[in-house]
Amino acid sequence: MKGKNSLTKKILIGLVLGALFGVLLNQLPSSYIKDTIIISGILKLVGGLFINGIKMLVVPLVFVSLVCGASAIGDPKKLGRVGIKTLGFYLTTTCIAISLALLLGSIINPGVGLDLSNVLKQEPEIGASKPIVDVITDIVPRNPVASLADGSMLQIIVFALLLGVSMALIRKKAEPILGIFESLNDIMMKMVMVIMSVAPVGVFALIAKTFATVGFDAMVPLLKYMAAVIIALFLHAGLTYMGALSIIGKLHPVKFFKNFVPAMGVAFSTASSSGTLPVTIDTAEERCGVSRSIASFTLPLGATINMDGTAIMQGVAVIFISQVYGIDLSLQSLLTVILTATLASIGTAGVPGVGLITLSMVLQSVGLPVEGIALIIGIDRLLDMTRTVVNITGDTVCTILISKSEGEFNEDIYYQKNKANIEEVA
Ligand code: ASP
């Protein structure tokens, strides 16, 4: 944990130094050393290596993590009623989260004021809209190997889900391969960490290059982007979760948040749903009154596939990047974003920073430049910490509602613990 904290600090230092260096460069007159050697040479090289490192991981990471996730939940008989309810809640709230983020992004317009449209080298593919029937037909790959090679994310997801579920259905016989996938999953996580270990330098270069090109102009849109994400996270927690607790669960929603504080604190400081899982389970059982049998199923599943906070960041990021690069998103593109961000949230592992990597898949699905991630990566850690709190809150609200609907909920714990909390806090 200490390592993670110091990496956070280093990334922030890289961000601040990069911004200062970039602004300084921006003020200097044009020269060969400044333009060719520093900006288009060193900064572009270092930033490009880092961005490519992230892109490199997307296909294998999403594929492997989805196969593992799907095989863990794929036995429909075993899952039964609880499984369907859990999946229904997780998917519905994620769709609400991303829609809220898109809406708020369109109101706040975080990317307006920063114009990088001329920086974009490749032609956006967004103009040509295919008939919706073709779009849906194309989700099922004719050749999954080609989909992997091309990085066609939706096709990869469909194949990975089917593979994972099929593995779960023949459980025993699939065990050797499942073991390989689980091991690959750990390896991918390690690779993410290795790439992230050079993030301070990468962030420095990317931010310095951005600020050197656009100067102070980049600052306000970035702050607007952060504000939009944070407001959307609060609204989702306040409206969707509290609404669900009081309307569906008939429970006092404020009491839930008081009970859940310990897990929220750990999620905020680790920025990892998976890392927080033991605390989430403990807090849900001991302070929120859910049953062990439900919690031990819904919470690990949620920490793997339910990431409403991540989906919110991705929704706002899509709006931000589309505005910065001057690319209009059609209604069809927005629907594609809702679909892919929901799937990306399933494919996002509950560890720090992965939401940014799966964001590239969402961007690609609507033809937005993946390079846009460079703009937001420097300030992502704080948002990562905040969205992880929302991620685990969604898992636990779902667990409470399902516990209650299954008659396995202890209301005394939910309310009594709350009294203890108030005393503790006071
Ligand atoms: N850090 C997030 C989590 O663990 C995932 C992400 O959005 O990067 O829940």
Side-chain angles (χ1 to χ4, degrees):
M1 200 175 301
K2 193 159 185 290
K4 276 178 195 161
N5 284 337
S6 69
L7 181 63
T8 308
K9 271 192 212 132
K10 283 186 198 154
I11 292 180
L12 280 176
I13 293 170
L15 167 75
V16 173
L17 291 183
L20 291 176
F21 185 59
V23 170
L24 185 78
L25 280 178
N26 186 261
Q27 304 300 315
L28 294 176
S30 249
S31 69
Y32 178 75
I33 298 207
K34 176 190 145 180
D35 297 327
T36 313
I37 308 253
I38 300 184
I39 299 179
S40 306
I42 301 169
L43 294 181
K44 190 173 170 204
L45 174 76
V46 175
L49 284 173
F50 178 58
I51 281 287
N52 277 2
I54 291 181
K55 284 190 191 168
M56 170 178 77
L57 297 182
V58 174
V59 168
L61 182 77
V62 171
F63 181 62
V64 171
S65 121
L66 269 183
V67 171
C68 291
S71 66
I73 61 166
D75 180 355
K77 281 181 217 129
K78 199 169 141 200
L79 287 176
R81 212 175 47 231
V82 172
I84 290 167
K85 275 194 265 185
T86 309
L87 287 180
F89 184 91
Y90 284 164
L91 293 179
T92 311
T93 50
T94 307
C95 284
I96 295 174
I98 164 92
S99 308
L100 187 70
L102 289 174
L103 184 73
L104 209 77
S106 317
I107 294 171
I108 294 185
N109 289 320
V112 171
L114 178 61
D115 182 10
L116 295 184
S117 50
N118 46 3
V119 180
L120 199 60
K121 279 159 271 120
Q122 78 263 40
E123 274 292 302
E125 302 140 27
I126 207 151
S129 69
K130 274 201 258 170
I132 191 79
V133 173
D134 291 359
V135 175
I136 296 170
T137 317
D138 282 349
I139 291 178
V140 179
R142 267 162 294 184
N143 178 351
V145 180
S147 311
L148 285 166
D150 295 342
S152 308
M153 296 318 298
L154 278 179
Q155 300 185 345
I156 294 173
I157 286 169
V158 168
F159 183 64
L161 287 177
L162 186 60
L163 182 60
V165 170
S166 306
M167 276 163 59
L169 289 173
I170 55 162
R171 200 89 223 162
K172 213 90 220 93
K173 283 192 196 150
E175 258 161 26
I177 298 292
L178 187 59
I180 291 175
F181 268 98
E182 274 162 4
S183 154
L184 274 174
N185 207 13
D186 290 343
I187 296 170
M188 292 312 305
M189 287 299 104
K190 190 73 205 166
M191 287 176 82
V192 170
M193 280 166 151
V194 172
I195 298 281
M196 286 312 282
S197 69
V198 296
V201 182
V203 164
F204 173 87
L206 292 168
I207 290 290
K209 186 165 174 286
T210 307
F211 276 69
T213 322
V214 292
F216 279 117
D217 294 355
M219 200 75 99
V220 176
L222 272 183
L223 290 177
K224 272 185 12 196
Y225 162 76
M226 286 182 84
V229 174
I230 290 174
I231 294 171
L233 289 173
F234 273 94
L235 282 179
H236 190 57
L239 297 178
T240 316
Y241 297 153
M242 287 179 114
L245 279 172
S246 51
I247 296 167
I248 307 175
K250 309 258 180 299
L251 291 165
H252 196 309
V254 178
K255 300 215 184 294
F256 163 72
F257 284 99
K258 286 182 178 160
N259 290 345
F260 199 54
V261 163
M264 288 166 129
V266 177
F268 188 74
S269 53
T270 60
S272 167
S273 312
S274 300
T276 315
L277 187 60
V279 188
T280 315
I281 294 179
D282 188 61
T283 314
E285 284 174 20
E286 302 299 324
R287 297 168 73 104
C288 300
V290 304
S291 79
R292 167 151 304 199
S293 68
I294 303 282
S296 60
F297 169 72
T298 53
L299 290 175
L301 182 62
T304 318
I305 68 160
N306 184 44
M307 310 267 171
D308 292 358
T310 304
I312 284 176
M313 176 278 286
Q314 296 184 338
V316 179
V318 162
I319 300 287
F320 176 71
I321 291 169
S322 73
Q323 289 176 343
V324 164
Y325 288 96
I327 299 167
D328 285 334
L329 294 175
S330 62
L331 187 63
Q332 189 184 315
S333 301
L334 292 177
L335 292 175
T336 308
V337 170
I338 294 179
L339 182 65
T340 45
T342 304
L343 294 169
S345 120
I346 298 174
T348 302
V351 292
V354 179
L356 263 198
I357 294 177
T358 50
L359 171 63
S360 62
M361 149 188 151
V362 181
L363 294 175
Q364 274 167 358
S365 75
V366 288
L368 288 173
V370 175
E371 282 69 12
I373 295 178
L375 296 170
I376 52 176
I377 191 167
I379 42 140
D380 189 63
R381 182 65 186 208
L382 178 67
L383 297 180
D384 194 5
M385 292 156 82
T386 320
R387 70 178 178 255
T388 305
V389 173
V390 172
N391 288 345
I392 63 155
T393 304
D395 303 340
T396 309
V397 169
C398 171
T399 307
I400 290 176
L401 295 180
I402 290 177
S403 271
K404 201 150 188 259
S405 74
E406 293 291 314
E408 294 185 36
F409 181 70
N410 188 332
E411 237 170 80
D412 287 345
I413 295 184
Y414 186 88
Y415 287 107
Q416 277 173 16
K417 278 287 171 184
N418 177 54
K419 279 183 207 144
N421 284 346
I422 294 169
E423 277 153 27
E424 268 166 41
V425 172

